């Protein structure tokens, strides 16, 4: 399994990332792109000015690599690419890319969803949102923790 | 021992990283958190509710019961919100 | 919901397709790219020379549009793009693209998987494979029919 | 009535599309398939196992019991294998 994990301030190119997942025996590529939304989710009036992503250097790469390795044990994957941006991001900017390549679609889809669910709840990133009413740290969502349950039942 | 704080915990303690000398009676993460909480009012605020605090020792997730050693890097942070 | 459905001989650009799914309120884009594999799946010796995709013009677009509309009823989607190629395709060439955009990742992931599962079993396309030992029509897979069951239980 | 065949069914019948005059006693897809099967040995081979045949009337999925009319476009094809 070819694995690429990147944590950086720079933007990424979804086309180039998807292209890099191709290879012998690959019949299915699933990808996920996370994007900064215009609102902080509490209501349409809470217009978001920017999002700042803080992280724990070294531990982020280690933790994402561990999650990807676990995905590689559960599904027959040819390649995985994960990119997570840090720093200040404006609405509409990319935050995260997860791409998985396999012979068949189930493995590609499920492993991409699995990696995103674990990344959301285990990788040490923290979001601070700036709205017109000030800045605040984003609260962790219980629904993200609950999303892990479906992978444990298997 | 190197201690790290992230996100709103870092804002409360006023520092991202600090070097401390591990007191002899501090053997676990839980005891370390109590000791750090005594350092300043900000530290106390940051560490007041350990149920919502995550801990990593040498960049691996640990629990409140995990043992700590003088050469460890121990990080305290809120539940993560990336992705 | 913005919907684009294309059935054509031309290749598509995954980067441009993903880009076209962006918009106000979109925080998650899931995509699937299906690619011609080098073997016909019966064994490593069955090297595939080419795949020819036949379809039922008019009905393909109608059926895919119906599947996408059903996805739009099940999940809150901002945009969906489906492209399916027809004609003769060599190994490593793209066959199909499904991209979905939503505020949240669950809706994007699940709707993309849903559309692929229905497309595989309902859209009137047929694959003929050319190997060194001759040409044959691909048999429908029972596992594709079974994949629909999980969506019916909901 | 316009009849269409796809994939290996088309190869057996030797034609992708044919125009027929609907016999008066043919009221359903099932009866239409029996009639078409009598047209040639190739037609008979194509339509010999109706359990594995899919049918669409005017580009919408139909069943063996669906009624057919003289101005319908009826398509017969094997289970689909796209995607």
């Amino acid at each position: 399994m070819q694995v690429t994990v990147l944590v950086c301030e720079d933007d990424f190119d979804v086309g180039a990332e998807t292209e890099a997942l191709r290879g012998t025996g690959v019949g299915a590529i699933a990808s996920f792109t996370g994007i900064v939304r215009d609102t902080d989710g509490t209501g349409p009036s809470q217009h978001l000015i920017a999002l700042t992503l803080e992280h724990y250097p070294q531990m982020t790469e280690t933790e994402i690599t561990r999650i990807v390795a676990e995905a590689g044990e559960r599904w027959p994957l040819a390649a995985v690419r994960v990119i997570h941006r840090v720093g200040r991001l404006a609405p509409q900017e990319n935050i995260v890319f997860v791409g998985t390549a396999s012979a068949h679609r189930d493995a590609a889809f499920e492993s991409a969803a699995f990696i995103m669910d674990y990344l959301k709840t285990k990788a040490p990133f923290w979001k601070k949102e700036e709205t017109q009413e000030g800045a605040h740290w984003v609260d962790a969502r219980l629904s993200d923790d609950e999303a892990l349950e479906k992978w444990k039942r298997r | 021992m190197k201690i790290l704080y992230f996100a709103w915990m870092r804002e409360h303690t006023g520092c991202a990283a600090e070097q401390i000398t591990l007191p002899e009676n501090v053997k676990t993460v839980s005891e370390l958190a109590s000791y750090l909480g005594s350092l300043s009012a900000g530290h106390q605020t940051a560490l007041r509710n350990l149920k919502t605090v995550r801990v990593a020792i040498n960049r691996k997730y640990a629990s409140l019961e995990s043992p700590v050693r003088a050469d460890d890097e121990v990080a305290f942070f809120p539940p993560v919100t990336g992705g």
Side-chain angles (χ1 to χ4, degrees), chain A, chain B:
Chain A
M1 180 170 66
Q2 290 200 314
V3 177
T4 302
V5 173
L6 276 175
V7 177
C8 60
E9 296 198 1
D10 300 336
D11 194 12
F12 49 81
D13 177 334
V14 173
E17 290 308 321
T18 310
E19 203 61 31
L21 287 161
R22 290 168 178 276
T24 307
V26 170
I29 295 176
S31 87
F32 178 83
T33 308
I35 298 162
V36 183
R37 285 188 299 145
D38 331 61
T39 78
D40 68 355
T42 61
S45 64
Q46 299 298 310
H47 182 75
L48 190 79
I49 297 164
L51 200 67
T52 301
L53 271 148
E54 179 172 327
H55 75 130
Y56 182 176
Q58 289 101 44
M59 186 171 167
T60 41
E61 283 90 343
T62 306
E63 195 62 22
I64 296 171
T65 303
R66 191 190 61 70
I67 294 165
V68 171
E70 195 175 327
E73 283 169 21
R74 291 186 177 219
W75 293 277
L77 301 175
V80 177
R81 295 179 79 81
V82 179
I83 305 176
H84 202 299
R85 294 179 71 191
V86 291
R88 193 164 186 270
L89 303 174
Q92 310 283 354
E93 282 198 72
N94 291 327
I95 305 173
V96 61
F97 176 87
V98 171
T100 55
S102 180
H104 300 290
R105 73 183 188 285
D106 298 10
F109 267 127
E110 290 178 13
S111 60
F114 172 90
I115 291 168
M116 272 307 300
D117 281 349
Y118 273 84
L119 194 150
K120 280 260 178 191
T121 48
K122 297 291 181 188
F125 294 98
W126 301 275
K127 287 194 186 104
K128 191 172 196 174
E129 293 181 333
E130 290 169 52
T131 68
Q132 281 138 336
E133 294 171 14
H136 63 272
W137 290 96
V138 173
D139 276 332
R141 295 193 310 170
L142 186 60
S143 63
D144 284 330
D145 280 333
E146 287 167 353
L148 295 191
E149 288 304 311
K150 66 172 174 283
W151 304 114
K152 285 177 183 161
R153 269 184 230 123
R154 289 161 167 260
Chain B
M1 171 178 274
K2 190 179 182 183
I3 310 291
L4 304 175
Y5 305 100
F6 292 95
W8 55 258
M9 295 186 68
R10 171 177 53 73
E11 293 180 349
H12 282 305
T13 62
C15 65
E18 60 190 348
Q19 200 70 39
I20 64 156
T21 303
L22 190 64
E24 277 199 7
N25 60 333
V26 171
K27 307 289 186 197
T28 66
V29 168
S30 176
E31 289 162 9
L32 176 63
S34 297
Y35 167 72
L36 294 169
S38 73
L39 295 181
S40 79
H43 281 75
Q44 192 171 12
T45 306
L47 293 157
R48 73 189 151 190
N49 187 356
L50 289 183
K51 279 183 192 165
T52 66
V53 165
R54 301 288 180 271
V55 189
I57 300 176
N58 301 325
R59 296 165 294 283
K60 279 188 182 167
Y61 278 103
S63 70
L64 292 174
E65 295 73 39
S66 300
V68 291
R69 294 181 311 179
D71 57 350
D72 285 337
E73 174 180 301
V74 182
F76 293 91
F77 47 82
V80 304
T81 56

